[in-house]
Amino acid sequence: MHKKTPLLVVLALVASALLAACGDNTATTAPATTAAATTAAATTAAATTAAATTAAATTAAATTAAATTAAATTAAATTPAATTAAGTTAAAGGATNLALQATLSPAPAGAPTGGTFTYVSLAGELAPVMHPYPSAADNSQSVAEADFLIWDGNMVEYDFTNLVWVLHYAKDMKVSSDGKTYTFTLRDGLKWSDGSDVTVADYQYAYDNAIKEDTANPDNNFVGLEDLKKIKLTTDASSKTLTFALDDVYATDLALSYISAVLPVPSKVWQGKPWYDATKNPEITKPTVTNGPYTFSGGDAKSQYTFKASSNWFRGKSIYDTIVFKPGSATTVVESVKTGQADYTSSFPPAQYAAAKQDPNLNVYDWSAVNGTYYSVDYNTRRAPLNDKAVRIAINYAIDRDNLIKLAQNGLGTPQYSFVNPQSPYYNKDVNQYKYNLDTAKKTLADAGYKLDGGKLMGKDGKQITLNVAFPTSSNPRKLIATYLQQQLGQLGMAVNVDGKEFNAFLDQVYSKYDFDISLGASGGGFPDPDSFKYYATSDGSQNDTGYGNKTLDDLFAQGAKETDPAKRKTIYDQAQKILSDDSPYFFLWSLNSFELFSKKVQGVQPGFKGSYHGFTNGDITRWYTQA
């Protein structure tokens, strides 16, 4: 669905989306509320497998530390499970004890240091911008990945190994007795890449600009803006504290994810420059001062980007001196790793999975991610005939998920019937699955008054119904889905134009211009909570490419975010899933199995993550090394 997740918020994350796994890493990620924001969230997609999101996996997430107040209880947790060792809570209104960092093991003593690590991306082009607060039009996995390397600074981040929150740039956290105010103290010794101090003023400057919607910033379309509006940031330079006042009480994990949307920018460098105009602010495309594990060294989106290890990153210098990002394609990524031209790809075509697993020079890591990546058929309800629910429902019945998984995903996928994965405790098993039945599809159209004329299905305007199916050419699975739809809908008498575009052009067409009838979306990643889908489902959602709006649904998502009782949240999201299933602005297809490809020489990779993908989650890439 979408572009997904902002980096920075990403920065950790943030989205989307969407998707590395299984051969499609052009997914867009969900925006920043995703707690994941704290991590490369953006990598959303990274992969996943439905099977994988085991309820257990989604559980720990929950009450992580934040729970310091009743209001704050675990809600977001995907299960009532609640407190975990990493997040021990104190009395209401007091300080909450969070672990100081995610629980990844360091590289072993004596591991080789230095050298170059090359990542080849399945996306045809790399990030066009490197803004820590990407707009909805710019937000993509590629942007999130680049941002992860160069930007940092979330107060807390989400540990995707244990599914709990941990302190990141903050050394402590205090929560008010009413659960609405979170206060953090900045760690000592935090530096920008040029050696200057990261200050609370840098956070204030970034927040003040990211939230602007006035004449000074008329085009603000930050993908996480909706969540940013839920908080008011004030800072105190003398005590090095940042205070986030929420506009209401929210599920604890969601509150922390909203707070994680705020990252600093070097105010002394950005001061006086436009926030989003890259033509007048070169920091947006070629940042000179950053605070992540790497600094941007040069390159362009069509050839490659080079990043150099920063000696001022607060966790210490990364093992590799240089990281190179290169664009690839479905036909080149595996071969690039096999021949030594690259060391890693986060996504490769499922058709090449079996052979890669057997290759003695490669390592394929499989794991189960709770924040599964999934495909969907997105209907543009802004224009006929897809503004007619009957047409959308008929198309649903014309799609054979099981056969399509074999055709487009080489069988490496699990049917998904809602925006909530079937393995999640929030899943509503009673949603309509729209099991494949062409006769039902035809009857649905006939009952709605649509007639065939010489085998052509005629619209209400008297012309044959002709649909434009948009997809990114960098995604072979979505190309196959588009071709399949062309065939299946032809059996209903519809004409279908298959419209593939380079990824950035696809994003512009779908999320900026809304110039399509059907868009083939890929989404996932980020924080494993149903709240994340609000970006796509609510009337004013920043990633809502369908144009669908339903006040009842809007209200349900608002209620779900503020409900702190897991059982009551389940009831709320059950209703939301049923409404979306019945109205079908989206038709959910399947979640992708998760796997990544490495050269056998790359060591230090730690399988076992429950969410996101390895390279851009919790700084995993900074611990890898090459063993000759």
Side-chain angles (χ1 to χ4, degrees), residues 242-543:
L242 297 91
T243 299
F244 297 81
L246 299 171
D247 61 3
D248 209 329
V249 175
Y250 293 96
T252 300
D253 283 347
L254 295 184
L256 291 178
S257 74
Y258 301 156
I259 289 167
S260 291
V262 180
L263 292 182
V265 298
S267 54
K268 64 179 182 180
V269 176
W270 284 57
Q271 192 77 45
K273 298 181 176 69
W275 189 245
Y276 274 131
D277 188 346
T279 62
K280 297 179 180 178
N281 182 1
E283 295 296 320
I284 293 173
T285 55
K286 298 182 184 301
T288 59
V289 177
T290 55
N291 63 330
Y294 286 84
T295 61
F296 178 65
S297 180
D300 63 80
K302 294 185 181 297
S303 58
Q304 73 173 45
Y305 284 141
T306 301
F307 303 89
K308 295 294 184 180
S310 172
S311 58
N312 289 310
W313 188 45
F314 83 119
R315 295 266 187 233
K317 188 173 180 292
S318 300
I319 290 180
Y320 288 112
D321 289 333
T322 304
I323 290 183
V324 174
F325 277 12
K326 289 183 177 180
S329 68
T331 59
T332 65
V333 291
V334 172
E335 190 65 19
S336 293
V337 179
K338 286 179 63 175
T339 59
Q341 299 175 67
D343 299 292
Y344 162 70
T345 181
S346 62
S347 180
F348 63 98
Q352 300 179 46
Y353 173 84
K357 287 285 284 187
Q358 298 300 317
D359 194 311
N361 297 311
L362 303 174
N363 275 332
V364 176
Y365 288 97
D366 306 75
W367 83 102
S368 301
V370 301
N371 51 347
T373 294
Y374 53 90
Y375 289 129
S376 65
V377 175
D378 303 2
Y379 299 117
N380 190 347
T381 66
R382 299 175 184 81
R383 58 195 196 190
L386 294 170
N387 58 353
D388 186 341
K389 183 171 75 170
V391 175
R392 303 194 297 269
I393 299 298
I395 294 175
N396 293 351
Y397 280 116
I399 298 174
D400 186 340
R401 275 194 194 87
D402 293 334
N403 280 335
L404 191 50
I405 290 174
K406 296 175 183 177
L407 170 69
Q409 208 63 42
N410 218 39
L412 299 171
T414 303
Q416 182 161 325
Y417 310 106
S418 164
F419 63 90
V420 177
N421 187 286
Q423 298 301 318
S424 166
Y426 284 113
Y427 176 62
N428 180 354
K429 63 181 178 59
D430 296 322
V431 294
N432 192 336
Q433 297 182 5
Y434 296 105
K435 291 294 188 180
Y436 174 64
N437 192 315
L438 268 181
D439 289 337
T440 301
K442 292 174 181 178
K443 184 177 186 301
T444 300
L445 291 168
D447 290 347
Y450 293 92
K451 302 182 183 300
L452 289 170
D453 183 358
K456 298 179 179 180
L457 186 69
M458 310 307 289
K460 300 299 175 67
D461 60 358
K463 299 177 181 179
Q464 181 184 18
I465 291 178
T466 300
L467 301 177
N468 185 68
V469 179
F471 68 95
T473 53
S474 55
S475 169
N476 193 57
R478 283 190 266 184
K479 178 180 179 180
L480 293 172
I481 295 170
T483 302
Y484 173 86
L485 287 178
Q486 190 175 48
Q487 171 190 308
Q488 290 299 104
L489 302 190
Q491 297 185 62
L492 300 180
M494 301 179 187
V496 174
N497 297 319
V498 173
D499 183 16
K501 285 185 171 60
E502 173 274 323
F503 188 57
N504 291 331
F506 164 77
L507 292 182
D508 182 60
Q509 174 186 6
V510 173
Y511 296 99
S512 296
K513 297 176 181 176
Y514 308 118
D515 183 20
F516 68 97
D517 294 305
I518 291 175
S519 169
L520 299 182
S523 196
F527 189 50
D529 189 279
D531 175 77
S532 298
F533 198 73
K534 68 188 177 193
Y535 294 106
Y536 315 124
T538 56
S539 302
D540 59 354
S542 62
Q543 308 284 281

Side-chain angles (χ1 to χ4, degrees), residues 81-385:
T83 65
T84 80
T88 314
T89 75
T96 299
N97 299 319
L98 293 181
L100 287 176
Q101 64 185 83
T103 54
L104 288 172
S105 300
T113 60
T116 298
F117 178 87
T118 300
Y119 163 51
V120 58
S121 172
L122 189 61
E125 289 189 8
L126 302 175
V129 302
M130 296 183 204
H131 201 305
Y133 293 83
S135 69
D138 291 327
N139 185 35
S140 69
Q141 180 180 329
S142 178
V143 170
E145 290 168 345
D147 281 357
F148 164 76
L149 289 182
I150 62 176
W151 297 111
D152 204 349
N154 307 88
M155 291 294 99
V156 291
E157 77 170 352
Y158 197 62
D159 178 349
F160 272 107
T161 298
N162 297 299
L163 301 178
V164 295
W165 285 97
V166 296
L167 291 171
H168 194 57
Y169 254 47
K171 64 181 180 181
D172 59 37
M173 177 178 81
K174 294 181 181 179
V175 184
S176 63
S177 58
D178 64 1
K180 290 184 178 182
T181 303
Y182 290 69
T183 300
F184 301 87
T185 305
L186 210 58
R187 292 176 187 256
D188 296 326
L190 298 171
K191 301 289 185 181
W192 290 105
S193 57
D194 65 355
S196 61
D197 292 336
V198 175
T199 68
V200 295
D202 294 324
Y203 284 88
Q204 192 71 61
Y205 175 82
Y207 168 85
D208 290 344
N209 280 277
I211 203 169
K212 279 182 182 177
E213 289 184 290
D214 55 20
T215 54
N217 195 10
D219 300 318
N220 188 358
N221 192 23
F222 169 44
V223 71
L225 185 59
E226 179 180 345
D227 289 338
L228 207 59
K229 290 179 178 179
K230 293 181 173 69
I231 60 180
K232 180 176 179 56
L233 173 65
T234 56
T235 56
D236 185 326
S238 61
S239 61
K240 295 178 62 175
T241 56
L242 297 91
T243 299
F244 297 81
L246 299 171
D247 61 3
D248 209 329
V249 175
Y250 293 96
T252 300
D253 283 347
L254 295 184
L256 291 178
S257 74
Y258 301 156
I259 289 167
S260 291
V262 180
L263 292 182
V265 298
S267 54
K268 64 179 182 180
V269 176
W270 284 57
Q271 192 77 45
K273 298 181 176 69
W275 189 245
Y276 274 131
D277 188 346
T279 62
K280 297 179 180 178
N281 182 1
E283 295 296 320
I284 293 173
T285 55
K286 298 182 184 301
T288 59
V289 177
T290 55
N291 63 330
Y294 286 84
T295 61
F296 178 65
S297 180
D300 63 80
K302 294 185 181 297
S303 58
Q304 73 173 45
Y305 284 141
T306 301
F307 303 89
K308 295 294 184 180
S310 172
S311 58
N312 289 310
W313 188 45
F314 83 119
R315 295 266 187 233
K317 188 173 180 292
S318 300
I319 290 180
Y320 288 112
D321 289 333
T322 304
I323 290 183
V324 174
F325 277 12
K326 289 183 177 180
S329 68
T331 59
T332 65
V333 291
V334 172
E335 190 65 19
S336 293
V337 179
K338 286 179 63 175
T339 59
Q341 299 175 67
D343 299 292
Y344 162 70
T345 181
S346 62
S347 180
F348 63 98
Q352 300 179 46
Y353 173 84
K357 287 285 284 187
Q358 298 300 317
D359 194 311
N361 297 311
L362 303 174
N363 275 332
V364 176
Y365 288 97
D366 306 75
W367 83 102
S368 301
V370 301
N371 51 347
T373 294
Y374 53 90
Y375 289 129
S376 65
V377 175
D378 303 2
Y379 299 117
N380 190 347
T381 66
R382 299 175 184 81
R383 58 195 196 190

Side-chain angles (χ1 to χ4, degrees), residues 419 553 556-557 571-581:
F419 63 90
L553 187 68
L556 287 170
F557 271 97
T571 299
I572 290 170
Y573 289 113
D574 276 353
Q575 296 176 61
Q577 290 170 77
K578 186 176 188 308
I579 289 173
L580 275 173
S581 176

